[in-house]
Amino acid sequence: MSTVTTHEAFVHPALFYRTEQEYTQQTVAFLREGLTNGEPMAVAVPGPNLELIQAGLGGDAEGILFLDMTEVGRNPGRIIPKVLRGFADAHPTGRVRIIGEPIWAGRSAVEYPACAQHEALINAAFEGRAVTILCPYDEVRLDPQVIADARVTHPTLISREGHESVSDAYDWQAVVDRYNQELAPAPDAAAFSYGVEDLPAARQFAVAQAMRLGLAGKRLMDVELAVAELTTNSVVHGGGRGTLAVWAEQAQLVCEVRDAGRLTDPLAGRRPPEHGQLGGRGLMLVHYVADLVRVHTGDDGTTVRFYLSL
């Protein structure tokens, strides 16, 4: 791998690979460079790739934080605040180096828009910070559209041979906008309209519907907490009223809140609130308890849809 330009503040290259050998060679070279520079490092990739990197590093793996992305990044909306910012903020001095692979062949079509937006929003979340985040992409198993999007969300591209180039397609905001997709209402969903006086009833409605559809245990508390945050946001910031809908879809419980508000911060829910900041925690909390969160916002209002496995 050619040396990634670490004299710049934030560095965000996409690494394209086709074989396990290419993957191991390039990621291990990236990490060995970090070891030489004395940089704190973390690796968050799917389990089998985690094993490839650890085996390739051998004894040099000691001191590197290894995380299975299929667990810590199952909800792509959690990756920036909990994984990437969590590690970078714990090392506030000097450069931090991370490998993050949030998109793998097992990702569903429902998950992918949030994944693509995540990759785009990394550029806004880390602008000006001394952080290098390398994102590998499997050119064989991933859809061509995913590879094309990677060229738009990453300012630097690294080929499987290790050649580095500047992306002439880089435009992260375009990907955020493209996947700000309208979410069509489910025709068979149980629905509840609410105002400020109905917030307790909205929570009770969500829990009752979740139980009816097969959710149990602690996950019922997650539903109640997430719905409480979203419906309160509707009353305070979304025109004072909203509609809550609950249904089951492909072995998942889906809860959705629609209101007249509009999100103006593309990092809402993915940026940890600053110390002493009022607000900004509700949507991030929903990201933390849910398996997936999809958001659409525009002149017609905002829809937040979250998923929990049944």
Side-chain angles (χ1 to χ4, degrees):
M1 176 182 291
S2 59
T3 303
V4 175
T5 350
T6 53
H7 64 274
E8 297 180 0
F10 178 52
V11 183
H12 186 207
L15 168 66
F16 300 108
Y17 69 93
R18 287 180 172 268
T19 67
E20 290 184 353
Q21 181 180 3
E22 291 170 357
Y23 182 91
T24 304
Q25 180 180 351
Q26 300 301 334
T27 55
V28 168
F30 175 81
L31 293 170
R32 290 196 190 282
E33 183 179 77
L35 288 171
T36 299
N37 296 340
E39 297 169 357
M41 293 188 290
V43 178
V45 302
N49 288 347
L50 209 60
E51 294 174 3
L52 289 175
I53 293 173
Q54 290 172 316
L57 284 168
D60 290 336
E62 186 176 353
I64 299 173
L65 176 65
F66 291 95
L67 302 167
D68 187 339
M69 186 64 98
T70 64
E71 297 175 2
V72 299
R74 181 179 181 183
N75 177 358
R78 273 201 300 264
I79 299 173
I80 289 175
K82 197 166 187 179
V83 180
L84 305 180
R85 279 285 303 266
F87 185 76
D89 291 353
H91 301 85
T93 59
R95 175 164 292 277
V96 170
R97 183 174 292 232
I98 302 170
I99 298 177
E101 190 170 6
I103 303 174
W104 57 89
R107 285 290 200 189
S108 70
V110 176
E111 293 173 309
Y112 179 68
C115 294
Q117 288 185 319
H118 156 76
E119 283 284 63
L121 290 168
I122 286 178
N123 299 287
F126 287 92
E127 183 178 7
R129 293 195 60 170
V131 176
T132 302
I133 301 176
L134 177 73
C135 301
Y137 282 82
D138 186 339
E139 288 187 300
V140 174
R141 300 178 67 200
L142 293 175
D143 188 275
Q145 184 60 57
V146 175
I147 302 302
D149 286 343
R151 298 177 180 278
V152 183
T153 55
H154 295 76
T156 303
L157 309 176
I158 300 173
S159 71
R160 58 184 185 273
E161 297 86 7
H163 300 145
E164 184 178 328
S165 63
V166 174
S167 174
D168 59 3
Y170 177 62
D171 183 4
W172 67 264
Q173 185 66 59
V175 168
V176 173
D177 294 341
R178 185 190 315 153
Y179 291 106
N180 179 32
Q181 299 168 338
E182 291 190 23
L183 302 170
D188 58 346
F192 183 89
S193 296
Y194 60 87
V196 63
E197 69 283 358
D198 304 308
L199 293 180
R203 296 195 299 270
Q204 294 166 10
F205 170 83
V207 171
Q209 292 300 319
M211 291 178 64
R212 179 180 66 83
L213 293 167
L215 203 68
K218 179 183 176 296
R219 304 245 74 179
L220 290 172
M221 297 174 58
D222 291 338
V223 167
E224 184 174 16
L225 183 59
V227 167
E229 292 293 340
L230 294 176
T231 54
T232 300
N233 281 348
S234 293
V235 168
V236 177
H237 305 292
R241 301 197 62 83
T243 301
L244 167 66
V246 184
W247 69 95
E249 178 181 296
Q250 297 181 349
Q252 290 183 305
L253 179 82
V254 187
C255 293
E256 175 186 280
V257 168
R258 294 176 179 262
D259 59 42
R262 181 171 187 175
L263 291 174
T264 57
D265 178 6
L267 281 166
R270 302 179 192 237
R271 189 205 314 266
E274 300 298 330
H275 181 69
Q277 176 182 334
L278 296 176
R281 293 170 175 80
L283 187 53
M284 190 170 72
L285 186 147
V286 177
H287 277 293
Y288 276 26
V289 302
D291 296 327
L292 173 67
V293 179
R294 294 281 306 277
V295 178
H296 168 71
T297 190
D299 293 336
D300 56 342
T302 293
T303 301
V304 179
R305 183 178 292 181
F306 69 89
Y307 299 72
L308 294 169
S309 296
L310 289 171

